[in-house]
Amino acid sequence: AQKITQTQPGMFVQEKEAVTLDCTYDTSDQSYGLFWYKQPSSGEMIFLIYQGSYDEQNATEGRYSLNFQKARKSANLVISASQLGDSAMYFCAMKRHSSASKIIFGSGTRLSIRP
Amino acid sequence: ETGVTQSPTHLIKTRGQQVTLRCSSQSGHNTVSWYQQALGQGPQFIFQYYREEENGRGNFPPRFSGLQFPNYSSELNVNALELDDSALYLCASSLEASGAREQFFGPGTRLTVL
């Protein structure tokens, strides 16, 4: 069975500092994708970044980068130069590369940015 | 390009009632997935519709059912509502044929069951 674990229920970070949100996953599949989503208080899930299991380079999208360590089954999100607008829930998620696009989500980390 | 929309935004029902939630997929997307997100938890996959057929289902009872229409919009129906059905219901659309890695989520419908 697939599982996503996020061990940090909440984090406080000073504005402009970098922050790392932890994520480990469990799967027996060889081909899968890893995602990070941001969920502000409005409720909408906002796609941030994607890493394929066969991608050799770590994914980057602007201030977001994904530290992918396949052997450790970890996919940590790094946010550089945090901003007040980064305060939100962050979910790590995983999807099999099969016909049904079922995404398995972790329990989330609430990130709060201090001015 | 029109994003994913959901209606209504909020809904209050009582135990035993039935509810229908609606989702319009992003333009050009043929796949819609529904998720239930209880307070303080991550979303849980309910089911997915691809070209009007159910294409995968999570661990939800049969009183959760759905439809997808020829224009790829979708409905989620929940019968015999229970208190634990109170949650944020999210739909997400994708273009499955391209093996799209992204699912684009709507703003959600917040259902309260009293």
Side-chain angles (χ1 to χ4, degrees):
Chain A
Q2 296 180 306
K3 186 178 179 182
I4 295 283
T5 302
Q6 294 180 254
T7 58
Q8 305 153 310
M11 289 188 69
F12 287 88
V13 173
Q14 204 67 32
E15 190 181 7
K16 299 182 185 177
E17 288 184 350
V19 57
T20 298
L21 304 183
D22 295 340
C23 172
T24 58
Y25 61 93
D26 189 20
T27 182
S28 56
D29 290 345
Q30 296 300 309
S31 181
Y32 51 88
L34 296 158
F35 304 78
W36 278 91
Y37 284 88
K38 172 184 178 181
Q39 188 178 42
S41 55
S42 60
E44 186 171 355
M45 299 291 280
I46 301 168
F47 167 80
L48 295 178
I49 196 166
Y50 168 87
Q51 178 85 41
S53 58
Y54 290 116
D55 294 342
E56 294 188 355
Q57 300 226 346
N58 286 343
T60 59
E61 293 282 351
R63 295 186 299 113
Y64 305 108
S65 60
L66 198 152
N67 184 1
F68 181 46
Q69 299 188 41
K70 193 171 183 177
R72 294 186 175 185
K73 292 189 174 177
S74 76
N76 298 340
L77 177 70
V78 180
I79 306 174
S80 63
S82 58
Q83 302 171 356
L84 296 179
D86 294 335
S87 294
M89 282 292 289
Y90 288 80
F91 290 96
C92 179
M94 177 169 60
K95 173 176 123 40
R96 282 175 164 165
H97 288 167
S98 61
S99 58
S101 295
K102 171 183 176 180
I103 296 182
I104 307 294
F105 286 86
S107 56
T109 295
R110 180 168 297 282
L111 177 64
S112 299
I113 308 299
R114 292 191 181 115
Chain B
E1 188 176 82
T2 306
V4 180
T5 60
Q6 291 185 244
S7 62
T9 54
H10 295 85
L11 201 53
I12 299 175
K13 292 284 190 178
T14 56
R15 273 189 306 175
Q17 285 189 312
Q18 179 265 343
V19 68
T20 297
L21 310 182
R22 294 177 176 82
C23 171
S24 291
S25 59
Q26 184 159 314
S27 177
H29 285 183
N30 56 17
T31 304
V32 172
S33 303
W34 285 92
Y35 294 83
Q36 179 196 66
Q37 186 178 17
L39 195 62
Q41 298 181 23
Q44 300 288 317
F45 177 76
I46 302 174
F47 45 55
Q48 179 188 81
Y49 278 83
Y50 171 61
R51 293 187 176 181
E52 303 180 57
E53 297 284 334
E54 188 178 290
N55 182 42
R57 188 179 182 94
N59 189 26
F60 280 82
R63 58 191 187 82
F64 285 79
S65 63
L67 281 174
Q68 188 178 32
F69 300 99
N71 66 354
Y72 302 129
S73 65
S74 177
E75 285 183 355
L76 164 65
N77 299 291
V78 187
N79 293 323
L81 283 167
E82 300 176 0
L83 296 179
D84 285 349
D85 295 334
S86 294
L88 179 67
Y89 288 85
L90 295 163
C91 82
S93 76
S94 58
L95 184 54
E96 192 62 22
S98 72
R101 62 192 198 188
E102 296 175 33
Q103 290 190 5
F104 295 87
F105 283 82
T109 294
R110 196 167 295 278
L111 172 65
T112 302
V113 182
L114 302 176

